[in-house]
Structures are given as structure tokens and as C-alpha cells.
């Protein structure tokens, strides 16, 4: 399906970009957080679009609700993490933020795959074998 293919491509590029830039900022202390946040926002918005599609699809509504909540949580956690657990334990927040980001990619990927299967089944239902008389 074209829509899910596009969603998977955007999530792949934006997610990989966000992850690499985040790691560059963390490990190499490079000043790339501005562009990292743009890539991260693209991940969250793509997850939101996928979740809205799921909300409109019978059999995927729970996934849709979970996706909308998750898509809102990603940027909120992203911009507030500076203020959380400051000190020696701040690496826990950084790791949690990274895992939440990777989780957003995984959730969007899983949802788009399920959505494609559901749509495929509905457009080409399995036909009963014809009996020979
Ligand atoms: C709108 C979404 C996002 C926002 C606003 C955001 C924001 C930020 C900010 C402000 C930092 C720097 C934190 C610090 O220096 O203490 C950061 C770091 C980082 N981000 Fe994101 N981020 C977002 C999405 C993502 C996604 C989707 C991923 C992974 C796929 C990710 C992975 C990372 C990593 C690995 C770091 C370095 C470790 C850290 O400092 O937490 N981020 N992000």
C-alpha cells in the first residue's frame, strides 16, 4: 500500500536521523540538537498521522488511541528532559528518552504493517473454493 510505504520511509529516515544526531550530541558533544528536534518532530508527526489512520480503521482503534497518546508524549518528554533527574542519574532520563524515540519508530512501523494487512484483506477477501457438481 502506498500510504503505509510512505509512512515507513519517512519514519525510517526521520528516526535514523534523530537517533544519529542525538547520539552525536550525547557522545561527541556536537551542537546538533536543533536539527535533532526537527527530525524527532517528524517522527512524532508521522506516528500521529499513522494513529489517525488507525483510529479510522475498524480493528485498529486501540492502536490508534495508544499511538496518539505516544505521539504527544514523545515531544513533551523531549523538551522537558533537561529538567528531570538532574545530576548523576540524568543518564537514566537520556536513555529513557532514546528508548521512547526508538519505541515511536517501532510503534509506527508495527501499526503501518498491521494497517496494510487489514486493508489488503478487506480489498481482496479470501474466496470460498467452488464445489464441483
Ligand atoms: C519531538 C521529538 C524530540 C525532541 C523534542 C527531542 C529533544 C531532545 C533534546 C532536547 C535532547 C538533548 C538533551 C540533553 O542534552 O540533555 C535530545 C537528545 C537525544 N535524543 Fe531526542 N528529541 C526528540 C525525539 C527523539 C527521537 C525520535 C529519538 C530516537 C529515535 C531521539 C534520540 C535522542 C538521543 C539518542 C539523544 C542523546 C541522549 C540525550 O541527551 O537524551 N530523540 N533530544
Amino acid at each position: 500500500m502506498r500510504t503505509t510505504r510512505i509512512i515507513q520511509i519517512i519514519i525510517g529516515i526521520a528516526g535514523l536521523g534523530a537517533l544519529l544526531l542525538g547520539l552525536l550530541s550525547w557522545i561527541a558533544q556536537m551542537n546538533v540538537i536543533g536539527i535533532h528536534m526537527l527530525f524527532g518532530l517528524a517522527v512524532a508527526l508521522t506516528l500521529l498521522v499513522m494513529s489517525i489512520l488507525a483510529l479510522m480503521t475498524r480493528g485498529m482503534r486501540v492502536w490508534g488511541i495508544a499511538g496518539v497518546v505516544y505521539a504527544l508524549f514523545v515531544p513533551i518528554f523531549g523538551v522537558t528532559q533537561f529538567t528531570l533527574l538532574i545530576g548523576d542519574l540524568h543518564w537514566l532520563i537520556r536513555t529513557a528518552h532514546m528508548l521512547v524515540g526508538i519505541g515511536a519508530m517501532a510503534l509506527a512501523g508495527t501499526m503501518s504493517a498491521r494497517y496494510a494487512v487489514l486493508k489488503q484483506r478487506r480489498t481482496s477477501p479470501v474466496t470460498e473454493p467452488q464445489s464441483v457438481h
Side-chain angles (χ1 to χ4, degrees), residues 41-65:
L41 203 60
V43 172
L45 286 177
T46 313
L47 175 59
L48 191 62
V49 169
M50 184 61 245
S51 307
I52 291 168
L53 283 178
L55 276 175
M56 296 187 309
T57 308
R58 205 161 19 95
M60 285 204 69
R61 301 216 207 280
V62 178
W63 285 89
I65 294 168

Side-chain angles (χ1 to χ4, degrees), residues 7-132:
I7 285 176
Q8 284 166 353
I9 291 170
I10 298 177
I11 274 287
I13 295 172
L16 202 65
L19 186 61
L20 288 177
L21 291 166
L23 287 173
L24 276 178
S25 134
W26 193 2
I27 296 163
Q29 269 98 49
M30 286 174 69
N31 185 17
V32 287
I33 287 303
I35 183 150
H36 161 79
M37 281 165 52
L38 275 181
F39 275 92
L41 203 60
V43 172
L45 286 177
T46 313
L47 175 59
L48 191 62
V49 169
M50 184 61 245
S51 307
I52 291 168
L53 283 178
L55 276 175
M56 296 187 309
T57 308
R58 205 161 19 95
M60 285 204 69
R61 301 216 207 280
V62 178
W63 285 89
I65 294 168
V68 169
V69 173
Y70 203 110
L72 295 176
F73 179 69
V74 173
I76 293 172
F77 188 32
V79 292
T80 51
Q81 60 169 315
F82 290 118
T83 56
L84 305 170
L85 223 63
I86 299 160
D88 284 352
L89 290 179
H90 187 64
W91 65 271
L92 280 175
I93 297 295
R94 297 184 116 176
T95 310
H97 168 68
M98 182 178 71
L99 293 178
V100 166
I102 294 170
M105 294 168 67
L107 184 56
T110 309
M111 276 167 71
S112 63
R114 284 183 76 99
Y115 180 82
V117 170
L118 271 182
K119 288 284 160 181
Q120 181 73 36
R121 266 196 219 139
R122 278 169 201 172
T123 48
S124 53
V126 180
T127 45
E128 292 285 320
Q130 300 285 314
S131 55
V132 182

